Amino acid sequence: MSNQFIMSLDQGTTSSRAIIFNRHGETISVAQKPFTQYFPTPGWVEHDAKEIWGSQIAVLTEALAKSGLEAKDLAAIGVTNQRETTIVWDRATGEPVHNAIVWQDRRTAKYCDSLHDKRDWIRGKTGLIIDAYFSATKVKWILDNVENARKRAERGELCFGTIDTWLIWNLTKGGVFVTDPSNASRTMLYNIHTLDWDDELLALFGIPRSMLPEVRASSEVYGTVSNRYLEHPVPIAGIAGDQQAALFGQLCTEKGMLKNTYGTGCFLLMNTGDEAVTSKNNLLTTIAWKVGGKTTYALEGGVFVGGAAVQWLRDGARIIRTSADINTLAATVEDNGGVYFVPALTGLGAPWWDSYARGAFFGITRGTTDGHLARATLEGIAFQVYDIVKAMEADAGAQTRELRVDGGASMSDYLMQTQADIFGFNIVRPKTVETTALGAAYLAGLATGYWDSIDGIRKQWKIDKTFTPQLPPERVREMLHYWHKAVNASRHWIEE
């Protein structure tokens, strides 16, 4: 049984998971552990980096125990992670100097506004729009606000990393300090054309180069897990940010293919091959992966609040008891009853990029029920994805024929049907919706010879269900009219 399996460490925004796959890309074992979300003040979102690490090592052990496997049965480990979330820690002790600042955090929005005149310059280097979403301003905030942090950083005492870097640092007991281009390209510090950290950007944000990890390929052996955690030296051999990993896991490895992941947020990526396409419609140009010496680029649009809107309906509004209940509740009404929900709970992402938008229900009447609110919430997720795909089609100069979907909320048949109705083309859900973890597994397996080639694994991708459009076009046009009216009303809400 030796070396017959691959493990993925899938570190997400609300939980850490470990998934073991076999050679056919089938799931053998899953372990999952949630961790605490901290909201110190409105618009701020933090995680305890040590709790993230503890939860990740716990699920690694649990997944092995559940499967009855041992470390020697693993050919490699791949890592995929929530992107942009920022950790700064002491190089000698491994102690974080502050809580991790999460990608959803908006504390640096005002500072980002002050950089408006540099937007084209920054975008030309990074492919990114200036926004609090990305890591650079989060690192700057920590250096500016944590006592002695800047002095310590200038002395070379501090490390900065996204979650992948933090996990691998800990797995190797500080022996390996790396990231990959898919994560580096989300920091607003990495030049996606020269494929290196950019000294001019580092100077702009006041970040010493010594803090930064080495950028290696997305598929190569970086090191082995310390024998403190596994009794056998398992290689760590794949890294990709969660959305790029999902693109790879969906085997969207050819130019023009695209996928959407319905997770805490919704993230739609289109493979643009070896060309870094500059968006004219407020999308991001990003690196998908670097494999075999070849860098592949993607266009990306991000919805900040996707599945998180359902979580809010459960935990904040308390209209449902479990996330799955939203589908049952939505089915109690025939349509949305004229109710539209803009899920701008942490501002609006692409193509609007409005940090000051806020969530809102529109069209509520005396006849509105909890079923209408549930339906409007699911439709609000689908409408946001529609806006991104339309922007992507304009940039690519081509119409979409099919969208591959994955992530937890893609299991909602109602949401997927709504998405197909709005788009007017097919939505395709694969048998394996854990494509983020699968993508990291593929990257690690290719690096270690577990799989021979991308072509060799492409036949593993199988369809679970295809959703075809059913709503009349005139009804879709009416819904889109009111959706865009609602978006415009919610924009710049808190801007004085």
Side-chain angles (χ1 to χ4, degrees), residues 182-203:
S182 73
N183 280 293
S185 68
R186 311 299 297 188
T187 61
M188 216 155 69
L189 298 170
Y190 188 74
N191 191 312
I192 62 172
H193 308 290
T194 65
L195 303 180
D196 193 11
W197 301 115
D198 190 285
D199 288 327
E200 291 180 322
L201 290 171
L202 294 175

Side-chain angles (χ1 to χ4, degrees), residues 59 70 109 140 158 201 211 217 231 299 394 435 438 453 467 485:
V59 293
E70 298 178 12
K140 175 178 164 50
L158 299 183
L201 290 171
M211 293 182 71
E231 70 280 3
L299 278 173
T435 51
L438 187 57
S453 66
F467 298 86
K485 195 174 180 181

Side-chain angles (χ1 to χ4, degrees), residues 56-310:
Q56 193 66 74
I57 201 69
V59 293
L60 180 156
T61 306
E62 184 185 342
L64 280 172
K66 277 183 171 179
S67 64
L69 300 174
E70 298 178 12
K72 65 181 175 60
D73 300 318
L74 299 178
I77 288 176
V79 175
T80 183
N81 54 285
Q82 53 165 317
R83 304 171 305 169
E84 298 96 16
T85 295
T86 298
I87 305 171
V88 174
W89 68 93
D90 186 290
R91 187 182 298 273
T93 66
E95 285 292 316
V97 304
H98 190 272
N99 271 351
I101 301 181
V102 181
W103 58 273
Q104 298 165 315
D105 189 281
R106 310 305 299 167
R107 75 186 66 186
T108 61
K110 286 289 186 190
Y111 172 67
C112 289
D113 290 346
S114 74
L115 299 175
H116 185 73
D117 62 336
K118 291 184 168 58
R119 65 190 186 280
D120 293 337
W121 179 73
I122 289 176
R123 188 169 191 174
K125 290 173 175 286
T126 67
L128 306 178
I129 289 167
I130 297 173
D131 194 83
Y133 176 30
F134 306 109
S135 310
T137 62
K138 302 179 194 298
V139 182
K140 175 178 164 50
W141 187 94
I142 290 173
L143 296 183
D144 288 344
N145 289 275
V146 174
E147 188 177 1
N148 291 326
R150 183 167 293 284
K151 289 180 180 177
R152 292 171 67 193
E154 289 169 353
R155 291 197 299 263
E157 297 172 8
L158 299 183
C159 296
F160 150 65
T162 43
I163 296 290
D164 56 311
T165 303
W166 171 245
L167 291 181
I168 293 171
W169 169 277
N170 281 287
L171 284 166
T172 60
K173 290 188 64 62
V176 178
F177 185 38
V178 299
T179 188
D180 88 302
S182 73
N183 280 293
S185 68
R186 311 299 297 188
T187 61
M188 216 155 69
L189 298 170
Y190 188 74
N191 191 312
I192 62 172
H193 308 290
T194 65
L195 303 180
D196 193 11
W197 301 115
D198 190 285
D199 288 327
E200 291 180 322
L201 290 171
L202 294 175
L204 173 67
F205 295 109
I207 298 170
R209 195 180 181 102
S210 62
M211 293 182 71
L212 304 175
E214 180 186 1
V215 183
R216 305 263 292 272
S218 307
S219 179
E220 67 171 271
V221 176
Y222 315 104
T224 57
V225 179
S226 166
N227 59 13
R228 178 176 177 183
Y229 307 116
L230 291 174
E231 70 280 3
H232 185 78
V234 179
I236 305 165
I239 304 172
D242 52 9
Q243 303 313 320
Q244 291 98 323
L247 189 69
F248 201 81
Q250 285 275 34
L251 293 170
C252 293
T253 54
E254 296 177 6
K255 185 176 179 179
M257 298 181 74
L258 70 162
K259 69 88 199 174
N260 187 45
T261 297
Y262 295 82
T264 303
C266 292
F267 294 90
L268 195 139
L269 273 75
M270 174 187 281
N271 185 327
T272 61
D274 57 7
E275 181 185 2
V277 175
T278 300
S279 173
K280 295 181 176 65
N281 295 280
N282 284 333
L283 300 179
L284 306 177
T285 306
T286 197
I287 294 177
W289 49 73
K290 183 179 180 182
V291 177
K294 179 183 175 185
T295 301
T296 297
Y297 293 89
L299 278 173
E300 175 175 327
V303 171
F304 292 157
V305 174
V310 180

